Amino acid sequence: MNDQGSDLLGQRLLAAGNGTFVGRQEELAAFGAALRSGGRVLFVHGPGGVGKSALLRRLAQEALAAERSVTLLDGRTLGPSPAAFESAAEAVFADERAVLLVDSFEDIQSLEGWLRERFLPRIPVGALVVLAGRVPPDLTWQADPTWAGTLMVLPLRDLSPTDAAALLEARGVAVGGLRESLLAFAGGHPLALSLGAAVAIKDERASSRWKPTQNVVATLLDQLVGEVPSPAHRHALEVCAQAYVTTEDLLRAVLPYDDAATLFSWLRRLPFMESGTPGLHPHDVVREILRADLSWRDPQRYAELQQRIGGHLMAQVRTVADTDVLRVVGSLFYLRHHRRSLPGRDFWHQEDDVYEEAFRPGETGNTVALVAEADSGESAAAVAFWATRQPEAFHLYRHTATGELAGVCVWLRLDRPSDEEAKADPVVAAAWTHARAVAPLRPGEHLGVGRIWVRDASRGLSSAMEWRGVGHSLRSERMAWSFMAVPADDPRVGYYRRYSPYELDEHTWLGDSEYTLFAHDWRALPAQVWLERLMSADTPAAASSVREPELAVLSRAEFTDAVRKALRHLSRTSELAANPLVRGRLVAGHPDPVQALRERLEEAIHRLGRDPRASKLHRALDTTYLRGVPNQEAAAERLGLPFTTYRRHLTTGVERICEDLWQRELYGTSDG
């Protein structure tokens, strides 16, 4: 190809690049200032695909327009050799107006110390050097006072929404649903935007439902993530893609490796990984392509990883400090936030304009005033009543920008009915009436009553308020019932009908305010099953797939009678299948509840045998129920005991078994 043809092709390529370059005004301004002053080193860093190379090409044009000589180097072709670098950049030593631009500096990062100490001090004062790579500069640069006025670090981030839209326009994507889909996927990431646009505009079927093809995902994975050292490192990345934030503790809990500390250390050094107080999280585009790749490549592992992360977070919800509850509950909902929700409800909001704070007695007046404004004087009076008795039940929510009180959430804990409380708060009275009529509390249990008030109902509930209610329900040990009171004309009524077990037929009134009460018996519908229902919001079919049968809630007398019958029918499968214990907490979650019940009873007998003081009781139980004797007379004869003595041992042993299993029914403990 002749020189003229080369020049024409080069001009065409340059024009094409300039036509799709958008944004980066701050970086261009910093470079312009450095051109005028000279003697500066600019260090541009950012994750792969964020536009470092495009920016360097534009800086080269700016320098040429200013009549400066330009040398553009690429670390991928240089190699980490001081001699090779100095040879390629030798022009900078002879020209005070030289501009040296180095792309892909991460590939020659080992030269950083040599550049700082040996190379850069020898260039003319008027020269300008720009280094661009994925990894930020060593802190030694910034700690050294001699570099304070010379080094400028420029983190390169995603394009703004305006610039991202301008890039799509330059790529030929018209305003409409396709552009919105591309922006939703790629955000402001230039490479993802450009690659998505190039594929989408060639697809005549591309529309507002556009999603990246596997070819797009594979290309982005190669460009943004590259090769990883081992399967363990790949699995750690997959955890990061699913979890809202990743900690060393999370890796240790969900991955089958002993080197969680090493994996976490590797993750935190990746250029597309960001660190915050709660932990690590990847760039949004990297997160999306990792998730898309895994769900396509290994859907079973994708689902199992979600379950393991969810299980870890469920355990954390119950143990973390109150101040960390919202973070952990939010992380739980983040696992499913990318699903398409049913209309009217989304429990994950990345951006929230309120924050939660603990209630202080000095805030009683402001809290009561907000409830009076949002609801009624009668509701405000109930709040004033409870604020002095259970201040720990209240949480306040303030606007982030102004600090103004935006809402209040209260979750009362009630152990026994009280005439004074019922008179002060009809909602509490209605809750007790329903619980006593349907399934009374058992020893050690309590019920909860929740309400949320917001100053501006048109804004809806903050995610923080929603998460607080979920956290309360998951953290409350031995909570038998919970009731959420919602104004009857509030849009939330429709939402609660979707995931609350049922609502009370009778409405409750506080003055002129009519309330709908939604009830939940946690003994019948355990927290894990309820949470799965709440989070399965893709389609009604998805939600129904986790609608497991609700558990039976038995009184002490009913439970004891059921245990006695189950022992008598231990070998009869049909009789055990009809026993209410197969729908109880003792065997909840087992695929074969009849067999599980048989095992629980046998285990209880064996546990009694481990008590030396109960050896006679254990022998009576073991012989009667586990040795296949035809009747109790035969059991007494086999044991060599008078029948009355045998009956006394058997009766006492059965009582011990009933007490053991009752405690396990209440507290959920089991050796099985």
Side-chain angles (χ1 to χ4, degrees):
M1 183 177 294
N2 59 36
D3 292 343
Q4 183 179 7
S6 298
D7 291 342
L8 290 173
L9 179 58
Q11 292 171 7
R12 180 183 301 176
L13 294 173
L14 179 60
N18 288 337
T20 57
F21 184 87
V22 298
R24 308 305 188 197
Q25 299 305 315
E26 293 184 12
E27 291 79 7
L28 291 173
F31 182 74
L35 277 177
R36 292 188 293 273
S37 63
R40 302 295 296 272
V41 175
L42 306 186
F43 202 123
V44 180
H45 69 89
V50 79
K52 298 182 296 296
S53 297
L55 176 63
L56 284 191
R57 289 193 295 268
R58 182 57 178 263
L59 297 184
Q61 294 304 308
E62 295 287 324
L64 290 172
E67 299 183 346
R68 306 286 292 263
S69 62
V70 175
T71 300
L72 179 59
L73 304 181
D74 191 327
R76 291 171 295 185
T77 60
L78 279 175
S81 162
F85 187 97
E86 189 161 324
S87 174
E90 62 180 355
V92 75
F93 292 113
D95 186 354
E96 290 192 355
R97 294 177 56 78
V99 175
L100 174 63
L101 307 172
V102 184
D103 198 4
S104 302
F105 187 66
E106 70 274 5
D107 287 309
I108 53 173
Q109 200 81 30
S110 60
L111 296 181
E112 187 175 358
W114 170 80
L115 276 171
R116 184 179 60 248
E117 302 296 335
R118 304 289 300 277
F119 179 87
L120 292 173
R122 294 188 286 125
I123 68 173
V125 172
L128 173 61
V129 176
V130 181
L131 308 175
R134 297 188 177 193
V135 183
D138 191 299
L139 290 178
T140 306
W141 293 79
Q142 300 176 62
D144 188 343
T146 61
W147 282 98
T150 302
L151 176 70
M152 177 180 291
V153 180
L154 299 175
L156 201 61
R157 298 182 172 87
D158 281 1
L159 297 172
S160 69
T162 300
D163 290 336
L167 177 58
L168 287 180
E169 183 176 356
R171 291 284 182 176
V173 180
V175 176
L178 177 56
R179 180 181 293 190
E180 295 303 316
S181 295
L182 285 165
L183 289 172
F185 161 67
H189 193 272
L191 178 60
L193 285 167
S194 298
L195 186 58
V199 173
I201 60 178
K202 294 179 181 179
D203 184 357
E204 296 180 354
R205 296 169 297 176
S207 66
S208 59
R209 296 184 178 180
W210 180 88
K211 291 184 178 180
T213 64
Q214 286 308 313
N215 287 337
V216 171
V217 169
T219 299
L220 288 172
L221 276 174
D222 289 342
Q223 293 291 323
L224 307 186
V225 178
E227 294 293 327
V228 295
S230 72
H233 292 81
R234 169 67 65 182
H235 295 160
L237 275 175
E238 292 167 353
V239 172
C240 282
Q242 301 247 35
Y244 180 51
V245 291
T246 298
T247 61
E248 187 177 317
D249 178 56
L250 176 63
L251 295 178
R252 188 178 301 111
V254 303
L255 293 180
Y257 307 113
D258 297 328
D259 54 351
T262 302
L263 293 173
F264 186 80
S265 178
W266 173 76
L267 286 171
R268 73 190 304 179
R269 292 195 300 269
L270 295 174
F272 52 79
M273 202 68 66
E274 298 182 28
S275 300
T277 301
L280 303 174
H281 62 93
H283 186 284
D284 288 344
V285 170
V286 175
R287 184 194 292 277
E288 290 304 319
I289 62 172
L290 284 168
R291 185 155 50 196
D293 177 66
L294 179 61
S295 64
W296 168 78
R297 176 170 45 84
D298 192 345
Q300 181 176 349
R301 175 172 173 76
Y302 180 88
E304 291 174 350
L305 193 56
Q306 276 210 344
Q307 291 176 353
R308 289 201 293 271
I309 295 173
H312 175 74
L313 293 172
M314 277 285 290
Q316 276 198 323
V317 170
R318 299 188 179 99
T319 58
V320 296
D322 186 74
T323 53
D324 289 328
V325 169
L326 299 189
R327 172 182 61 80
V328 180
V329 173
S331 296
L332 263 173
F333 283 106
Y334 185 81
L335 283 174
R336 307 290 178 90
H337 88 282
H338 59 286
R339 294 185 173 189
R340 185 179 296 276
S341 297
L342 291 173
R345 172 64 75 198
D346 180 8
F347 279 91
W348 171 260
H349 308 288
Q350 266 187 300
E351 297 180 0
D352 207 348
D353 64 350
V354 305
Y355 63 91
E356 182 185 85
E357 69 176 11
F359 177 80
R360 298 184 301 274
E363 292 288 347
T364 300
N366 292 333
T367 304
V368 170
L370 182 146
V371 175
E373 176 186 340
D375 194 349
S376 68
E378 288 78 8
S379 292
V383 166
F385 175 86
W386 290 113
T388 59
R389 286 162 175 77
Q390 291 193 33
E392 70 281 359
F394 287 74
H395 287 86
L396 303 183
Y397 301 86
R398 298 187 181 278
H399 288 296
T400 304
T402 64
E404 178 188 11
L405 188 61
V408 57
C409 174
V410 57
W411 273 100
L412 302 171
R413 178 190 173 104
L414 305 170
D415 298 307
R416 62 182 64 86
S418 160
D419 291 339
E420 180 186 13
E421 294 173 356
K423 183 178 179 180
D425 192 346
V427 169
V428 166
W432 275 117
T433 298
H434 182 82
R436 285 180 295 191
V438 177
L441 272 63
R442 301 179 297 193
E445 295 178 340
H446 70 277
L447 62 80
V449 177
R451 273 166 287 187
I452 301 174
W453 292 275
V454 292
R455 188 182 301 277
D456 184 359
S458 66
R459 297 172 64 95
L461 295 188
S462 150
S463 58
M465 299 175 189
E466 299 279 15
W467 296 349
R468 171 54 61 182
V470 173
H472 172 82
S473 300
L474 298 179
R475 285 166 65 85
S476 295
E477 294 291 336
R478 307 295 313 283
M479 182 167 68
W481 285 94
S482 67
F483 297 84
M484 171 57 75
V486 184
D489 59 352
D490 194 299
R492 284 179 288 159
V493 169
Y495 304 158
Y496 281 100
R497 282 176 181 152
R498 278 191 45 236
Y499 64 86
S500 289
Y502 54 89
E503 63 182 282
L504 275 60
D505 293 332
E506 295 293 328
H507 286 191
T508 301
W509 292 82
L510 272 75
D512 295 331
S513 297
E514 182 182 7
Y515 278 89
T516 298
L517 262 66
F518 293 92
H520 187 147
D521 186 342
W522 294 93
R523 302 160 300 183
L525 183 64
Q528 182 67 51
V529 178
W530 169 77
L531 188 65
E532 281 297 315
R533 293 185 186 183
L534 184 61
M535 294 173 67
S536 296
D538 291 85
T539 63
S544 65
S545 67
V546 292
R547 291 192 175 274
E548 300 176 11
E550 295 188 1
L551 303 183
V553 181
L554 305 178
S555 67
R556 176 64 184 270
E558 292 169 334
F559 184 87
T560 298
D561 181 62
V563 172
R564 293 180 186 276
K565 290 179 179 178
L567 286 169
R568 291 197 300 270
H569 302 141
L570 195 58
S571 61
R572 300 178 185 176
T573 299
S574 60
E575 296 288 349
L576 281 185
N579 193 294
L581 292 178
V582 299
R583 296 184 291 110
R585 191 174 183 182
L586 281 176
V587 298
H590 288 267
D592 185 348
V594 172
Q595 180 60 28
L597 176 58
R598 182 179 288 117
E599 292 171 357
R600 293 292 181 268
L601 293 167
E602 293 174 354
E603 290 160 4
I605 294 173
H606 294 321
R607 276 195 300 273
L608 188 63
R610 293 197 286 268
D611 181 358
R613 297 168 298 178
S615 60
K616 295 178 180 179
L617 311 183
H618 172 256
R619 290 179 63 223
L621 291 167
D622 181 75
T623 301
T624 304
Y625 300 124
L626 303 183
R627 300 301 174 184
V629 294
N631 52 50
Q632 292 188 359
E633 288 76 7
E637 183 178 353
R638 179 176 294 186
L639 291 169
L641 295 174
F643 186 73
T644 55
T645 302
Y646 157 78
R647 283 285 299 169
R648 185 173 67 253
H649 292 171
L650 181 64
T651 299
T652 305
V654 170
E655 290 173 352
R656 289 281 298 271
I657 295 297
C658 289
E659 176 63 25
D660 177 18
L661 294 178
W662 175 246
Q663 294 302 315
R664 293 169 187 275
E665 169 76 7
L666 291 180
Y667 296 100
T669 56
S670 173
D671 293 339

